[in-house]
Amino acid sequence: MGTNVKPYGKADSTKKEEVAEMFDNISKRYDFLNHFLSLGIDKIWRKKAIRILSKSNPKTILDIATGTGDFALAALRLNPSKIVGLDLSAGMLEVGRQKMKKKKVDHIIEMVQGDSENLPFETNHFDAFTVGFGVRNFENLEKGLGEMLRVLKPGGTGVILEFSKPKKFPVKQYFRFYSKYIIPKVGSAISKDKSAYAYLPESVAAFPEGQDFTAIMEKVGYRDITSKLVSGGIATIYVGKK
């Protein structure tokens, strides 16, 4: 499936270790770059994903690969009692914690360091989970999806937002040019980490999207799976139930 693309391509380290290292390296400039390189559209995608999740009215939410907590913050509009943001990268979490304190929501959103493929929570624990642009960084996709399903309560909902490869003109051509030339160039200039922003388009290209991804969700045990393309197919919102 080709999902074992690694940020730095070192022979002696796992994808998981390299992803954590990469996000530690770029954590200070990540928020600025994320919104700049996505032209702010990522905020609209998160809002759409949260709107879908609002139908199930979750009170406890796990945000996987939370980074600096943008998806967790977007989920506040659901009026939950507790959100846990989990990430591998200590650097990203620290930036996120400062953000939560500044916004005075750190009593609702807790930032926790952990591995999405080995979640430190009991079975049937959360009403819902969200993942924004994180599943393509998993070392073992099935294991990660299985763990997220495990910690969901029966009837709980998982929402996964991930980049996809646009198929139609002109979005396809624009996205290819933008991800191949603009993202690596601007990203490396501002973050001073050339590999991190070369990895982004590579990991998107290697990711099993659309029906390939929903087939993996089904295999792992999700039910009532749906997928919705956004912005001409630049990203997809996948939804599954336990």
Side-chain angles (χ1 to χ4, degrees):
M1 236 183 284
T3 50
N4 57 350
V5 175
K6 297 193 294 186
Y8 303 111
K10 298 177 196 168
D12 59 346
S13 59
T14 64
K15 177 172 180 175
K16 201 174 290 182
E17 287 165 344
E18 290 197 19
V19 165
E21 182 187 346
M22 175 187 79
F23 282 118
D24 281 345
N25 289 343
I26 63 174
S27 58
K28 298 285 187 290
R29 307 310 302 273
Y30 178 79
D31 278 349
F32 167 76
L33 272 168
N34 216 18
H35 303 318
F36 176 75
L37 291 172
S38 70
L39 311 174
I41 304 170
D42 60 310
K43 294 179 182 177
I44 297 166
W45 296 340
R46 285 190 196 90
K47 275 185 182 167
K48 282 187 175 176
I50 293 301
R51 211 172 295 136
I52 291 168
L53 193 53
S54 68
K55 293 167 193 160
S56 54
N57 195 27
K59 289 299 161 202
T60 53
I61 301 167
L62 173 63
D63 184 40
I64 306 259
T66 194
T68 63
D70 278 346
F71 217 162
L73 284 166
L76 284 171
R77 66 179 55 224
L78 300 171
N79 199 23
S81 54
K82 184 75 180 174
I83 301 173
V84 176
L86 178 128
D87 204 277
L88 271 176
S89 164
M92 296 285 271
L93 288 166
E94 196 42 50
V95 174
R97 281 189 194 105
Q98 298 312 316
K99 206 169 14 177
M100 301 315 162
K101 278 180 189 158
K102 204 171 169 185
K103 292 180 184 289
K104 297 184 169 52
V105 293
D106 51 322
H107 60 295
I108 300 173
I109 300 174
E110 183 189 356
M111 305 293 269
V112 172
Q113 189 170 13
D115 179 0
S116 48
E117 294 167 36
N118 189 18
L119 292 172
F121 309 108
E122 59 202 54
T123 302
N124 305 331
H125 190 68
F126 293 95
D127 295 324
F129 73 72
T130 53
V131 196
F133 312 111
V135 287
R136 74 176 191 287
N137 296 324
F138 287 4
E139 195 168 80
N140 183 327
L141 187 55
E142 284 188 23
K143 196 175 176 196
L145 287 170
E147 269 293 89
M148 296 190 298
L149 186 65
R150 177 184 70 77
V151 300
L152 264 189
K153 289 177 184 172
T157 306
V159 176
I160 298 166
L161 173 59
E162 189 53 86
F163 285 116
S164 39
K165 298 177 278 290
K167 308 292 187 287
K168 292 179 181 168
F169 177 86
V171 182
K172 177 182 175 180
Q173 285 73 10
Y174 170 74
F175 183 71
R176 186 181 291 165
F177 174 80
Y178 194 72
S179 62
K180 195 172 178 181
Y181 300 105
I182 308 294
I183 290 176
K185 204 161 192 169
V186 177
S188 64
I190 295 174
S191 72
K192 303 287 184 278
D193 189 327
K194 193 178 175 187
S195 298
Y197 285 91
Y199 165 76
L200 176 71
E202 284 171 11
S203 63
V204 173
F207 185 70
E209 59 174 324
Q211 287 182 329
D212 291 339
F213 185 70
T214 55
I216 297 168
M217 287 179 74
E218 198 173 328
K219 181 185 172 189
V220 169
Y222 290 83
R223 56 183 186 80
D224 302 339
I225 301 162
T226 59
S227 65
K228 179 184 172 64
L229 293 171
V230 287
S231 297
I234 294 175
T236 305
I237 299 169
Y238 303 94
V239 183
K241 296 247 182 203
K242 180 166 179 176

